[in-house]
PDB file of all heavy atoms in Angstrom:
ATOM      1  N   GLN A 153     -42.426   8.133  33.350  1.00 88.00           N
ATOM      2  CA  GLN A 153     -42.995   8.275  32.039  1.00 88.00           C
ATOM      3  C   GLN A 153     -41.876   7.906  31.034  1.00 88.00           C
ATOM      4  O   GLN A 153     -40.753   7.912  31.342  1.00 88.00           O
ATOM      5  CB  GLN A 153     -43.508   9.645  31.765  1.00 88.00           C
ATOM      6  CG  GLN A 153     -42.362  10.712  31.673  1.00 88.00           C
ATOM      7  CD  GLN A 153     -42.873  12.120  31.547  1.00 88.00           C
ATOM      8  OE1 GLN A 153     -42.955  12.926  32.492  1.00 88.00           O
ATOM      9  NE2 GLN A 153     -43.470  12.362  30.298  1.00 88.00           N
ATOM     10  N   GLN A 154     -42.340   7.560  29.823  1.00 86.00           N
ATOM     11  CA  GLN A 154     -41.411   7.148  28.822  1.00 86.00           C
ATOM     12  C   GLN A 154     -40.528   8.350  28.472  1.00 86.00           C
ATOM     13  O   GLN A 154     -40.910   9.297  27.884  1.00 86.00           O
ATOM     14  CB  GLN A 154     -42.099   6.669  27.514  1.00 86.00           C
ATOM     15  CG  GLN A 154     -42.777   5.287  27.676  1.00 86.00           C
ATOM     16  CD  GLN A 154     -43.735   5.047  26.501  1.00 86.00           C
ATOM     17  OE1 GLN A 154     -44.447   5.886  26.057  1.00 86.00           O
ATOM     18  NE2 GLN A 154     -43.731   3.790  26.086  1.00 86.00           N
ATOM     19  N   TRP A 155     -39.190   8.419  28.785  1.00 83.00           N
ATOM     20  CA  TRP A 155     -38.476   7.400  29.562  1.00 83.00           C
ATOM     21  C   TRP A 155     -37.623   8.140  30.593  1.00 83.00           C
ATOM     22  O   TRP A 155     -36.376   8.232  30.441  1.00 83.00           O
ATOM     23  CB  TRP A 155     -37.544   6.558  28.612  1.00 83.00           C
ATOM     24  CG  TRP A 155     -38.367   5.693  27.709  1.00 83.00           C
ATOM     25  CD1 TRP A 155     -38.890   4.438  28.055  1.00 83.00           C
ATOM     26  CD2 TRP A 155     -38.767   5.941  26.376  1.00 83.00           C
ATOM     27  NE1 TRP A 155     -39.626   3.877  26.951  1.00 83.00           N
ATOM     28  CE2 TRP A 155     -39.530   4.809  25.921  1.00 83.00           C
ATOM     29  CE3 TRP A 155     -38.529   6.987  25.492  1.00 83.00           C
ATOM     30  CZ2 TRP A 155     -40.113   4.707  24.655  1.00 83.00           C
ATOM     31  CZ3 TRP A 155     -39.142   6.883  24.270  1.00 83.00           C
ATOM     32  CH2 TRP A 155     -39.877   5.758  23.818  1.00 83.00           C
ATOM     33  N   TRP A 157     -37.696   9.675  34.931  1.00 90.00           N
ATOM     34  CA  TRP A 157     -38.274   9.684  36.312  1.00 90.00           C
ATOM     35  C   TRP A 157     -38.284  11.123  36.816  1.00 90.00           C
ATOM     36  O   TRP A 157     -37.377  11.928  36.553  1.00 90.00           O
ATOM     37  CB  TRP A 157     -37.283   8.942  37.268  1.00 90.00           C
ATOM     38  CG  TRP A 157     -37.238   7.469  36.913  1.00 90.00           C
ATOM     39  CD1 TRP A 157     -36.227   6.927  36.122  1.00 90.00           C
ATOM     40  CD2 TRP A 157     -38.062   6.369  37.260  1.00 90.00           C
ATOM     41  NE1 TRP A 157     -36.367   5.553  36.005  1.00 90.00           N
ATOM     42  CE2 TRP A 157     -37.530   5.203  36.699  1.00 90.00           C
ATOM     43  CE3 TRP A 157     -39.252   6.322  38.041  1.00 90.00           C
ATOM     44  CZ2 TRP A 157     -38.127   3.971  36.919  1.00 90.00           C
ATOM     45  CZ3 TRP A 157     -39.833   5.026  38.148  1.00 90.00           C
ATOM     46  CH2 TRP A 157     -39.335   3.909  37.620  1.00 90.00           C
ATOM     47  N   VAL A 189     -47.215   4.067  30.495  1.00 92.00           N
ATOM     48  CA  VAL A 189     -47.345   2.546  30.481  1.00 92.00           C
ATOM     49  C   VAL A 189     -46.773   2.048  31.779  1.00 92.00           C
ATOM     50  O   VAL A 189     -46.397   2.831  32.676  1.00 92.00           O
ATOM     51  CB  VAL A 189     -46.502   1.990  29.310  1.00 92.00           C
ATOM     52  CG1 VAL A 189     -47.050   2.475  27.953  1.00 92.00           C
ATOM     53  CG2 VAL A 189     -45.000   2.406  29.402  1.00 92.00           C
ATOM     54  N   LEU A 190     -46.666   0.758  31.887  1.00 94.00           N
ATOM     55  CA  LEU A 190     -46.076   0.171  33.181  1.00 94.00           C
ATOM     56  C   LEU A 190     -44.561   0.525  33.167  1.00 94.00           C
ATOM     57  O   LEU A 190     -43.876   0.313  32.202  1.00 94.00           O
ATOM     58  CB  LEU A 190     -46.236  -1.385  33.080  1.00 94.00           C
ATOM     59  CG  LEU A 190     -47.591  -1.978  33.322  1.00 94.00           C
ATOM     60  CD1 LEU A 190     -47.456  -3.507  33.197  1.00 94.00           C
ATOM     61  CD2 LEU A 190     -48.064  -1.656  34.722  1.00 94.00           C
ATOM     62  N   HIS A 191     -44.147   0.900  34.399  1.00 95.00           N
ATOM     63  CA  HIS A 191     -42.701   1.005  34.621  1.00 95.00           C
ATOM     64  C   HIS A 191     -42.492   0.245  35.980  1.00 95.00           C
ATOM     65  O   HIS A 191     -43.439  -0.128  36.672  1.00 95.00           O
ATOM     66  CB  HIS A 191     -42.247   2.499  34.756  1.00 95.00           C
ATOM     67  CG  HIS A 191     -42.587   3.300  33.540  1.00 95.00           C
ATOM     68  ND1 HIS A 191     -41.772   3.274  32.422  1.00 95.00           N
ATOM     69  CD2 HIS A 191     -43.584   4.105  33.227  1.00 95.00           C
ATOM     70  CE1 HIS A 191     -42.297   4.091  31.486  1.00 95.00           C
ATOM     71  NE2 HIS A 191     -43.406   4.602  31.998  1.00 95.00           N
ATOM     72  N   SER A 192     -41.247   0.169  36.457  1.00 96.00           N
ATOM     73  CA  SER A 192     -40.994  -0.473  37.682  1.00 96.00           C
ATOM     74  C   SER A 192     -39.802   0.238  38.374  1.00 96.00           C
ATOM     75  O   SER A 192     -38.749   0.355  37.797  1.00 96.00           O
ATOM     76  CB  SER A 192     -40.754  -1.972  37.492  1.00 96.00           C
ATOM     77  OG  SER A 192     -40.613  -2.568  38.756  1.00 96.00           O
ATOM     78  N   CYS A 226     -35.466   1.430  35.614  1.00 94.00           N
ATOM     79  CA  CYS A 226     -36.780   0.885  35.270  1.00 94.00           C
ATOM     80  C   CYS A 226     -36.634  -0.569  35.026  1.00 94.00           C
ATOM     81  O   CYS A 226     -35.773  -1.053  34.302  1.00 94.00           O
ATOM     82  CB  CYS A 226     -37.343   1.585  34.083  1.00 94.00           C
ATOM     83  SG  CYS A 226     -38.983   0.902  33.592  1.00 94.00           S
ATOM     84  N   ALA A 227     -37.534  -1.372  35.661  1.00 94.00           N
ATOM     85  CA  ALA A 227     -37.398  -2.859  35.554  1.00 94.00           C
ATOM     86  C   ALA A 227     -38.612  -3.475  34.952  1.00 94.00           C
ATOM     87  O   ALA A 227     -38.971  -4.597  35.166  1.00 94.00           O
ATOM     88  CB  ALA A 227     -37.177  -3.473  36.983  1.00 94.00           C
ATOM     89  N   GLU A 228     -39.264  -2.684  34.090  1.00 94.00           N
ATOM     90  CA  GLU A 228     -40.419  -3.190  33.363  1.00 94.00           C
ATOM     91  C   GLU A 228     -40.260  -2.682  31.934  1.00 94.00           C
ATOM     92  O   GLU A 228     -40.235  -1.444  31.724  1.00 94.00           O
ATOM     93  CB  GLU A 228     -41.758  -2.640  33.948  1.00 94.00           C
ATOM     94  CG  GLU A 228     -42.952  -3.386  33.486  1.00 94.00           C
ATOM     95  CD  GLU A 228     -43.081  -4.787  34.194  1.00 94.00           C
ATOM     96  OE1 GLU A 228     -43.195  -4.814  35.431  1.00 94.00           O
ATOM     97  OE2 GLU A 228     -43.000  -5.733  33.405  1.00 94.00           O
ATOM     98  N   ILE A 229     -40.181  -3.615  30.951  1.00 94.00           N
ATOM     99  CA  ILE A 229     -39.914  -3.128  29.611  1.00 94.00           C
ATOM    100  C   ILE A 229     -41.019  -2.208  29.184  1.00 94.00           C
ATOM    101  O   ILE A 229     -42.144  -2.585  29.317  1.00 94.00           O
ATOM    102  CB  ILE A 229     -39.721  -4.341  28.613  1.00 94.00           C
ATOM    103  CG1 ILE A 229     -39.255  -3.818  27.317  1.00 94.00           C
ATOM    104  CG2 ILE A 229     -40.954  -5.157  28.512  1.00 94.00           C
ATOM    105  CD1 ILE A 229     -38.025  -4.434  26.742  1.00 94.00           C
ATOM    106  N   CYS A 230     -40.610  -0.981  28.721  1.00 92.00           N
ATOM    107  CA  CYS A 230     -41.642   0.026  28.573  1.00 92.00           C
ATOM    108  C   CYS A 230     -41.406   0.724  27.226  1.00 92.00           C
ATOM    109  O   CYS A 230     -41.874   1.917  27.102  1.00 92.00           O
ATOM    110  CB  CYS A 230     -41.667   1.045  29.704  1.00 92.00           C
ATOM    111  SG  CYS A 230     -40.029   1.826  30.032  1.00 92.00           S
ATOM    112  N   GLY A 231     -40.749   0.166  26.387  1.00 88.00           N
ATOM    113  CA  GLY A 231     -40.583   0.813  24.991  1.00 88.00           C
ATOM    114  C   GLY A 231     -39.122   0.957  24.595  1.00 88.00           C
ATOM    115  O   GLY A 231     -38.215   0.435  25.295  1.00 88.00           O
ATOM    116  N   HIS A 234     -36.383   1.975  27.172  1.00 91.00           N
ATOM    117  CA  HIS A 234     -36.538   1.407  28.480  1.00 91.00           C
ATOM    118  C   HIS A 234     -35.159   1.243  29.193  1.00 91.00           C
ATOM    119  O   HIS A 234     -34.970   1.576  30.360  1.00 91.00           O
ATOM    120  CB  HIS A 234     -37.167   0.020  28.325  1.00 91.00           C
ATOM    121  CG  HIS A 234     -36.878  -0.921  29.461  1.00 91.00           C
ATOM    122  ND1 HIS A 234     -37.377  -0.789  30.719  1.00 91.00           N
ATOM    123  CD2 HIS A 234     -36.077  -2.044  29.459  1.00 91.00           C
ATOM    124  CE1 HIS A 234     -36.948  -1.784  31.466  1.00 91.00           C
ATOM    125  NE2 HIS A 234     -36.147  -2.567  30.722  1.00 91.00           N
ATOM    126  N   ALA A 235     -34.127   0.791  28.452  1.00 90.00           N
ATOM    127  CA  ALA A 235     -32.822   0.558  29.076  1.00 90.00           C
ATOM    128  C   ALA A 235     -32.182   1.838  29.574  1.00 90.00           C
ATOM    129  O   ALA A 235     -31.291   1.746  30.378  1.00 90.00           O
ATOM    130  CB  ALA A 235     -31.915  -0.161  28.040  1.00 90.00           C
ATOM    131  N   MET A 237     -33.912   4.323  30.945  1.00 88.00           N
ATOM    132  CA  MET A 237     -34.774   5.002  31.870  1.00 88.00           C
ATOM    133  C   MET A 237     -34.189   4.883  33.288  1.00 88.00           C
ATOM    134  O   MET A 237     -34.480   3.913  34.024  1.00 88.00           O
ATOM    135  CB  MET A 237     -36.225   4.421  31.811  1.00 88.00           C
ATOM    136  CG  MET A 237     -37.139   5.180  32.607  1.00 88.00           C
ATOM    137  SD  MET A 237     -38.842   4.690  32.314  1.00 88.00           S
ATOM    138  CE  MET A 237     -39.683   5.282  33.772  1.00 88.00           C
TER     139      MET A 237
HETATM  140 CU1  CUA B  56     -39.895   2.468  32.075  1.00 66.42          CU
HETATM  141 CU2  CUA B  56     -38.920   0.498  31.363  1.00 66.42          CU
END
Side-chain angles (χ1 to χ4, degrees):
Q153 67 184 106
Q154 288 169 318
W155 291 277
W157 299 94
V189 298
L190 286 179
H191 302 281
S192 185
C226 178
E228 194 74 65
I229 186 126
C230 56
H234 156 71
M237 188 170 162

